[in-house]
Amino acid sequence: MSIRVTLPDFPIEGGCQCGAVRYRLLGPPLGVYTCHCKDCQRLSGASFSMSMPIRSDDIELLQGTLAAYDKGSDSGRVVRMLGCAQCGVKVWNEPLAAPGMLVLKPG
């Protein structure tokens, strides 16, 4: 069985809960998956959270300030987590082991 997903026309815009951070995604994600690591479970309050790997060149920060902190992941790698400096909503991750990539947190 094959599932066909229809993507929106790009660019599309998104942002945080309070609206202080806005971004424009210029091209389609490289994929979409549900992450079940402990960090994502804590973030969502559920058994997973959604993740969309993208090329860092495919996103523009339109407004707002992102607060960053480096966190050791379950795998032992370091991930830079970036979120709205006002409301704290996580917007994307920067896997330091994969330069040029970001993991956008959709939803």
Side-chain angles (χ1 to χ4, degrees):
M1 180 168 139
S2 176
I3 298 173
R4 188 171 300 272
V5 176
T6 303
L7 295 175
D9 292 330
F10 290 87
I12 60 172
E13 293 186 9
C16 67
Q17 180 71 29
C18 74
V21 169
R22 298 294 301 162
Y23 61 80
R24 179 177 296 129
L25 184 58
L26 303 173
L30 302 173
V32 177
Y33 64 94
T34 55
C35 182
H36 293 78
C37 77
K38 294 292 183 195
D39 288 330
C40 285
Q41 290 174 357
R42 287 183 197 102
L43 171 73
S44 67
S47 60
F48 64 89
S49 74
M50 298 292 296
S51 296
M52 284 185 354
I54 61 170
R55 291 178 189 87
S56 56
D57 290 342
D58 284 344
I59 197 158
E60 296 176 339
L61 182 61
L62 301 175
Q63 70 181 37
T65 301
L66 293 173
Y69 70 97
D70 291 352
K71 166 115 180 38
S73 67
D74 290 347
S75 70
R77 294 184 179 129
V78 175
V79 176
R80 180 161 294 138
M81 299 180 156
L82 295 110
C84 174
Q86 291 189 30
C87 70
V89 166
K90 191 161 87 169
V91 180
W92 62 68
N93 298 339
E94 181 181 346
L96 300 181
M101 299 295 298
L102 297 174
V103 180
L104 191 62
K105 301 306 289 185

